[in-house]
Amino acid sequence: MWKGRFTEETHEAVRRFTQSLDVDWRLAAADIRGSVAHVRMLAHIGLLTSEEARTLEEHLFAIGRDIDAGILVPKESLEDVHMNIEAALIERCGSLGAKLHAGRSRNDQVATTMRLFLREALLDAWGHLEILLETLQQKAGEHCDVVVPGYTHLQQAQPISMGQYWMAYFWAFLRDAERLLAAYHSCDVCPLGAGALAGSTLPLDREFTARDLGFSRITENSMDSVAQRDYLLDVHYFFVSFGLHASRLAEDLIIYSSTEFGWIELPDAFCTGSSIMPQKKNPDVLELLRGRAGQFVGHMTDLMVSVKGLPLTYNRDLQEDKRGLWASFEAYFQILSVLPNLLARVGVSAEKARRGFSDGFIFATDVAEYLVGRGIPFREAHEKVGRLVRWCVEEKRALTGLSPDEWRRLLPEAEADLPGLLVPETSVKRRKTLGGTSPEQVRWQQEQGMNALNGLRETFRGKKEILSGK
């Protein structure tokens, strides 16, 4: 490729070290599609005849079919997918094939190919995330009226609807879907025509190729076009955010299914046993999920460290930008191959959850707010209820087990209606603030959530239609 400048052949060890076929061969279809658009543009501006363009396009698609069939095997000596395809084209078309690279550098070619590939890959990622969101919606409806303890600091805080719990993760993963869409928009920019870094003296029509490839816009600066990897960082951040949420969900379910909690029931088909302890039911799937989620952070950090000190514009370090990205895609799809199915079969034992309410302390805030409703300043009410709880602890009494006389003595402001309010279902139903935990509000959240989900579906469907037409 560059033998005109060099007096020695590239050392075999260098060829092995610098090749990237192990990571970029999967980009073949995207690279061919970008090349076809480039050919069409060259014909559009008069650098190729219509017959030459038609011949090149036909051979490019034929090369793609041969790659799919395993007929065309890449050569390591040609370094990467881009040079292998170009060499195959020259082999078939002779000097005509050598015209393909006019006005194009591997720098803008790689950037374009990656964006073409990622648009398709991110739409696939959306399809899997959509299933998870649907599953969480279903679980919220299934457990809307089931009351479980809610926690802060992993200490019992207030009773909640289990539907509220599932919807909390629905909203978290819905935000991830919005980040996925943002990553898609970041990739939906055409850098083709930026050349090595400074554009071209040829009269390239960048808008033409962008339209042909279905990009929404073109990059604005040729140097930035080939140097920046922000769009990859945006994809990585989507994975990181998704991984953090998936890991927290896994941690919750691991804890709540333990003997000490015991009110979450994991499906046997998604657990494992012990080689020595016959009684064990281990949440290995959730533990592995929690472990793999950490990879996302590592891969994003890897790219950030790589780009933080690079001078403009292109540097070969950027060839390594794909390894961690492919690993993140793989981990993402692995997680979503099991997580929705596992969640669909998670059971909740309302009876075991109710054991957590036995001392009644989880209703302390209800009592304080009851007093506020009778005109007592909240801080004063908080102190009064705190003293009441301390008395119950010292006397080993349940807050919900006090007699009417004890209520009158310990909390004179309490009236006869208060004990009846300290019931899990009643406590939850009374929390009707927008977004609160009452079944009524959970159903409202479900409605809002479905509206948002349907909106994203329409948006992603539109993206798919644009790409299918290209």
Side-chain angles (χ1 to χ4, degrees), residues 12 238 407 409:
E12 182 181 351
F238 157 69
W407 275 114
R409 177 167 55 87

PDB file of all heavy atoms in Angstrom, residues 12 238 407 409:
ATOM      1  N   GLU A  12       7.338  -9.134   9.564  1.00  0.00           N
ATOM      2  CA  GLU A  12       6.205 -10.036   9.836  1.00  0.00           C
ATOM      3  C   GLU A  12       5.631  -9.813  11.236  1.00  0.00           C
ATOM      4  O   GLU A  12       4.415  -9.839  11.436  1.00  0.00           O
ATOM      5  CB  GLU A  12       6.659 -11.494   9.682  1.00  0.00           C
ATOM      6  CG  GLU A  12       5.542 -12.496   9.907  1.00  0.00           C
ATOM      7  CD  GLU A  12       6.021 -13.934   9.774  1.00  0.00           C
ATOM      8  OE1 GLU A  12       7.178 -14.147   9.346  1.00  0.00           O
ATOM      9  OE2 GLU A  12       5.234 -14.847  10.110  1.00  0.00           O
ATOM     10  N   PHE A 238     -23.959   4.693  27.640  1.00  0.00           N
ATOM     11  CA  PHE A 238     -25.212   3.945  27.687  1.00  0.00           C
ATOM     12  C   PHE A 238     -24.993   2.603  28.365  1.00  0.00           C
ATOM     13  O   PHE A 238     -25.768   2.198  29.253  1.00  0.00           O
ATOM     14  CB  PHE A 238     -25.775   3.730  26.279  1.00  0.00           C
ATOM     15  CG  PHE A 238     -26.714   2.557  26.187  1.00  0.00           C
ATOM     16  CD1 PHE A 238     -27.959   2.594  26.801  1.00  0.00           C
ATOM     17  CD2 PHE A 238     -26.330   1.396  25.530  1.00  0.00           C
ATOM     18  CE1 PHE A 238     -28.817   1.491  26.751  1.00  0.00           C
ATOM     19  CE2 PHE A 238     -27.182   0.305  25.477  1.00  0.00           C
ATOM     20  CZ  PHE A 238     -28.426   0.352  26.085  1.00  0.00           C
ATOM     21  N   TRP A 407     -51.612   4.181  74.349  1.00  0.00           N
ATOM     22  CA  TRP A 407     -51.563   5.256  73.348  1.00  0.00           C
ATOM     23  C   TRP A 407     -51.879   6.602  74.013  1.00  0.00           C
ATOM     24  O   TRP A 407     -51.198   7.601  73.772  1.00  0.00           O
ATOM     25  CB  TRP A 407     -52.560   4.994  72.215  1.00  0.00           C
ATOM     26  CG  TRP A 407     -52.052   4.106  71.108  1.00  0.00           C
ATOM     27  CD1 TRP A 407     -52.500   2.872  70.776  1.00  0.00           C
ATOM     28  CD2 TRP A 407     -50.999   4.415  70.184  1.00  0.00           C
ATOM     29  NE1 TRP A 407     -51.797   2.372  69.714  1.00  0.00           N
ATOM     30  CE2 TRP A 407     -50.867   3.310  69.320  1.00  0.00           C
ATOM     31  CE3 TRP A 407     -50.154   5.521  69.997  1.00  0.00           C
ATOM     32  CZ2 TRP A 407     -49.936   3.264  68.299  1.00  0.00           C
ATOM     33  CZ3 TRP A 407     -49.225   5.472  68.979  1.00  0.00           C
ATOM     34  CH2 TRP A 407     -49.108   4.358  68.133  1.00  0.00           C
ATOM     35  N   ARG A 409     -51.542   7.456  77.071  1.00  0.00           N
ATOM     36  CA  ARG A 409     -50.513   7.857  78.027  1.00  0.00           C
ATOM     37  C   ARG A 409     -49.222   8.291  77.326  1.00  0.00           C
ATOM     38  O   ARG A 409     -48.603   9.277  77.702  1.00  0.00           O
ATOM     39  CB  ARG A 409     -50.223   6.685  78.981  1.00  0.00           C
ATOM     40  CG  ARG A 409     -49.097   6.965  79.986  1.00  0.00           C
ATOM     41  CD  ARG A 409     -49.073   5.920  81.089  1.00  0.00           C
ATOM     42  NE  ARG A 409     -48.979   4.565  80.571  1.00  0.00           N
ATOM     43  CZ  ARG A 409     -47.827   3.942  80.273  1.00  0.00           C
ATOM     44  NH1 ARG A 409     -46.682   4.587  80.421  1.00  0.00           N
ATOM     45  NH2 ARG A 409     -47.825   2.699  79.849  1.00  0.00           N
TER      46      ARG A 409
END
